[in-house]
Amino acid sequence: MRIAYKRRIVAAITIAAVSGILGAAPSSPQDDSHPVGLSASEVDGLSQLAGGYLQARATMVTTTPPQARISGISATRAMANRTSDEFAQLAAKGQRYEQVDGGYTKAVVDVTVTDSSLEGATATLQLTEDTRLYMPFTAAEVAGGAPEYEEFSLPHTVTFDRTADGTWLLASDKADTGSGPAPSTQLTEPDAAEDTDGGTPDEDEGAKDSPSGTDELPEGSTKDVKLQAGYDYGKIVAYADKYWKNPNKGSYRTYGNDCTNFVSQAMKAGGWGIVGPTEAGQRSNNKKWFYTIFVDRTSYTWAGAENWYWFAIKHSKRTKALDNVYKLASSDVLQADWDRNGNINHTMVVTKKYNGVPYLTYHTTNTHNKSLKKLVADHGGAWWYAHRT
């Protein structure tokens, strides 16, 4: 059954309230008799239950003093125990964010159900969580260029168990966080596996530049001087702002790990010219950078983070290495090697800079205007490679 329900829930909770919000219902035998599928009203009710739970997660990372409880959310005993532990970790994460850059003042969560199914006494919803995490900037600061909020879009698979009396209990939640940085409301680590969208180049590229430093710089100590290569930096940012959430499917396909594909699209929008193959079989040539409608005829440098690095900084010289991540300016690119194994895993583009802090936008997980300070705080073990575009 395919359906598109959208639900917004805004609230605040305390850790102490979690046991009441996600209180485990008494164990009881389940009745396996059920209709063929879920009715529209059942899907709507389950979407509210899922939305309340996701709003609770988001609220845990904010600094807003909890003043209200979300009522009517029940979970299985196992899910209640898991959630209680995770909420405590999220609260600690929120406190760390507050120390790093002021944290988030409030959270607003939208839930869109895209599919539902029923098997026995278990219902499953496929849904997308769209969350905005508001930053502690005044209206005047926002008008002056500060980001009002960070936002992300995250797919979930959520299941519910039905008790004998017909009550639905939240049973599980699996977020599809992909291989990039986990959203602020999640606790998973990024996947440091080999980038499957790239590949082994034709030639050994040798050693990379040293990773960029992460020490904060005094405000006003750097000048955001671009390379003056005739690129339209505003168009790079505008493209990222437009397609961070909904991919430009009319012009490009998406990849399982879509971060570098997304950044390549933004660079092309800003004026990067295609460096196409002069003959067949040049997909693995890091001196080339091209896209076609066929995966096996698109260069590794287009969608592979490691390959992109070598094309951008060595062969085309379209980017220049920066020795510190806080020197990044709007339209610049930041890459990450999560486990310091020499293989870059993730690519992001700067869409804002305010008071010396760059804000990053990327795919996988689709995220808009994430503070560099939070990224560095969450992933202290990573190697970072900052590019001036």
Side-chain angles (χ1 to χ4, degrees):
M1 174 179 173
R2 186 162 294 278
I3 198 160
Y5 281 113
K6 193 163 187 176
R7 176 78 53 180
R8 172 172 291 183
I9 302 172
V10 185
I13 65 167
T14 64
I15 294 179
V18 171
S19 59
I21 295 168
L22 292 164
S27 299
S28 60
Q30 293 186 337
D31 179 4
D32 286 337
S33 63
H34 59 81
V36 174
L38 294 166
S39 67
S41 61
E42 286 177 310
V43 173
D44 187 50
L46 293 177
S47 72
Q48 292 184 55
L49 183 57
Y53 157 73
L54 294 173
Q55 177 65 54
R57 292 188 70 95
T59 303
M60 294 311 298
V61 298
T62 68
T63 60
T64 304
Q67 297 173 347
R69 296 188 179 191
I70 303 173
S71 60
I73 301 179
S74 297
T76 62
R77 191 171 302 281
M79 185 62 180
N81 290 338
R82 169 194 153 182
T83 304
S84 181
D85 291 341
E86 289 189 355
F87 278 25
Q89 294 178 64
L90 288 171
K93 191 177 188 181
Q95 291 173 354
R96 183 172 74 249
Y97 286 160
E98 185 175 9
Q99 294 171 354
V100 165
D101 66 358
Y104 305 115
T105 59
K106 70 173 181 177
V108 176
V109 177
D110 285 334
V111 171
T112 303
V113 178
T114 56
D115 206 1
S116 64
S117 62
L118 179 65
E119 184 175 350
T122 298
T124 302
L125 296 187
Q126 303 293 335
L127 59 84
T128 300
E129 170 196 0
D130 291 304
T131 292
R132 289 181 173 180
L133 296 164
Y134 285 77
M135 301 180 195
F137 294 118
T138 65
E141 288 174 315
V142 171
E148 184 178 6
Y149 46 75
E150 168 195 324
E151 52 190 333
F152 65 83
S153 185
L154 179 63
H156 292 257
T157 299
V158 185
T159 67
F160 307 83
D161 289 345
R162 187 176 55 198
T163 64
D165 66 1
T167 301
W168 287 106
L169 304 177
L170 181 67
S172 70
D173 166 41
K174 180 175 176 53
D176 184 8
T177 55
S179 59
S184 295
T185 61
Q186 298 294 318
L187 299 167
T188 58
E189 290 298 322
D191 183 3
E194 197 75 16
D195 187 353
T196 57
D197 300 319
T200 304
D202 293 341
E203 301 176 4
D204 183 3
E205 296 288 9
K208 293 185 179 71
D209 292 316
S210 298
S212 306
T214 57
D215 291 336
E216 293 184 40
L217 301 173
E219 186 176 340
S221 63
T222 63
K223 294 183 179 180
D224 298 333
V225 180
K226 289 294 188 176
L227 297 183
Q228 301 299 320
Y231 304 129
D232 191 326
Y233 301 111
K235 285 185 177 179
I236 293 173
V237 173
Y239 188 95
D241 286 339
K242 182 176 181 179
Y243 292 109
W244 75 268
K245 177 181 173 182
N246 298 310
N248 183 6
K249 292 184 177 180
S251 301
Y252 301 98
R253 64 180 161 272
T254 57
Y255 290 77
N257 181 5
D258 201 51
C259 60
T260 308
N261 175 42
F262 172 63
V263 169
S264 283
Q265 293 171 34
M267 295 300 115
K268 186 174 182 296
W272 278 29
I274 292 295
V275 182
T278 55
E279 57 188 47
Q282 293 197 356
R283 186 184 186 204
S284 56
N285 186 341
N286 280 354
K287 298 180 180 69
K288 308 297 181 180
W289 183 73
F290 57 91
Y291 176 91
T292 77
I293 61 173
F294 304 105
V295 174
D296 61 357
R297 297 180 191 175
T298 296
S299 67
Y300 287 144
T301 57
W302 182 272
E306 173 75 8
N307 301 90
W308 190 95
Y309 171 93
W310 291 111
F311 170 78
I313 209 160
K314 177 181 178 180
H315 297 300
S316 71
K317 301 190 186 306
R318 292 178 179 179
T319 69
K320 176 183 177 181
L322 297 174
D323 61 6
N324 188 288
V325 293
Y326 286 96
K327 292 183 179 180
L328 288 162
S330 291
S331 81
D332 286 344
V333 172
L334 179 63
Q335 295 190 289
D337 175 355
W338 300 126
D339 58 358
R340 301 189 179 194
N341 73 344
N343 183 71
I344 293 175
N345 312 105
H346 188 61
T347 310
M348 302 167 277
V349 61
V350 180
T351 42
K352 272 188 178 293
K353 188 170 186 181
Y354 186 75
N355 282 351
V357 179
Y359 292 84
L360 286 303
T361 294
Y362 47 91
H363 278 187
T364 320
T365 300
N366 296 355
T367 300
H368 189 222
N369 288 337
K370 176 108 178 192
S371 164
L372 174 64
K373 287 188 176 183
K374 291 187 178 74
L375 283 165
V376 171
D378 281 344
H379 309 290
W383 276 340
W384 305 94
Y385 294 92
H387 297 251
R388 170 72 81 239
T389 56

